[in-house]
């Protein structure tokens, strides 16, 4: 005998079970929280790069004739869609063309779905959608 009573051998204490559950919750929050933040950062980066690629699509015919250099909306939408399709992993996107101080800009909103690995074990949704947004403008002269 090892000096233990027979009724205690092989049992896990209630405290240990509750403590381990708490530790698992904390690890899950840290792991899935960091993953969600990475997805948010990726969404912002993709939106910025997509807006940049769309902002490069100016109306060439008007620019060649010496007219103002404006963003060609159809070409910009196509460039944004092509960039995001090549990047992959995008759940959806929106493109708009706000006018700020008389200048047409391009604004891109990107949605990415992050699949939670551990928090789903505790009753939370298995996925969350994060959104990134960026605005670009066509620079045609010296800054």
């Amino acid at each position: 005998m090892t000096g233990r009573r027979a009724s205690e051998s092989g049992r896990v204490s209630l405290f240990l079970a509750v403590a381990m559950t708490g530790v698992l919750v904390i690890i899950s929050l840290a792991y899935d929280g960091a993953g969600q933040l990475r997805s948010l950062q990726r969404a912002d980066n993709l939106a910025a790069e997509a807006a940049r690629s769309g902002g490069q699509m100016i109306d060439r015919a008007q620019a060649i004739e010496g007219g103002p250099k404006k963003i060609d909306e159809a070409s910009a939408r196509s460039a944004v869609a092509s960039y995001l399709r090549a990047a992959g992993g995008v759940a959806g996107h929106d493109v708009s063309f706000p006018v700020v101080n008389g200048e047409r800009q391009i604004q891109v909103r990107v949605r990415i779905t992050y699949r939670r690995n551990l928090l789903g074990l505790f009753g939370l949704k298995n996925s969350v959608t994060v959104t990134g947004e960026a605005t670009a403008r066509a620079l045609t002269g010296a800054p």
Side-chain angles (χ1 to χ4, degrees):
M1 284 222 75
T2 61
R4 292 186 187 165
R5 291 185 297 201
S7 64
E8 291 181 7
S9 65
R11 293 193 180 174
V12 176
S13 72
L14 181 62
F15 172 76
L16 183 61
V18 171
M20 291 310 292
T21 303
V23 168
L24 186 59
V25 167
I26 291 170
I27 291 171
S28 299
L29 283 171
Y31 181 80
D32 283 337
Q36 188 170 336
L37 283 175
R38 281 191 310 272
S39 294
L40 181 61
Q41 182 180 14
R42 182 170 188 264
D44 281 336
N45 290 341
L46 285 176
E49 289 301 315
R52 179 201 51 79
S53 69
Q56 292 177 344
M57 300 295 126
I58 62 170
D59 186 350
R60 292 180 185 160
Q62 191 176 19
I64 289 172
E65 294 174 357
K69 283 93 176 152
K70 294 182 181 176
I71 297 173
D72 180 11
E73 292 184 18
S75 297
R77 286 182 194 278
S78 177
V80 167
S82 294
Y83 180 84
L84 293 175
R85 191 172 31 259
V90 176
H93 71 280
D94 299 313
V95 180
S96 61
F97 298 92
V99 177
V100 178
N101 294 331
E103 177 185 25
R104 182 166 310 281
Q105 300 180 351
I106 182 171
Q107 183 177 44
V108 178
R109 225 176 245 116
V110 175
R111 291 178 300 283
I112 295 179
T113 301
Y114 173 70
R115 306 244 182 256
R116 293 177 173 156
N117 296 319
L118 298 174
L119 286 176
L121 299 172
F122 299 101
L124 284 126
K125 292 190 313 183
N126 286 333
S127 64
V128 63
T129 301
V130 295
T131 304
E133 183 178 318
T135 303
R137 61 189 197 128
L139 292 177
T140 56

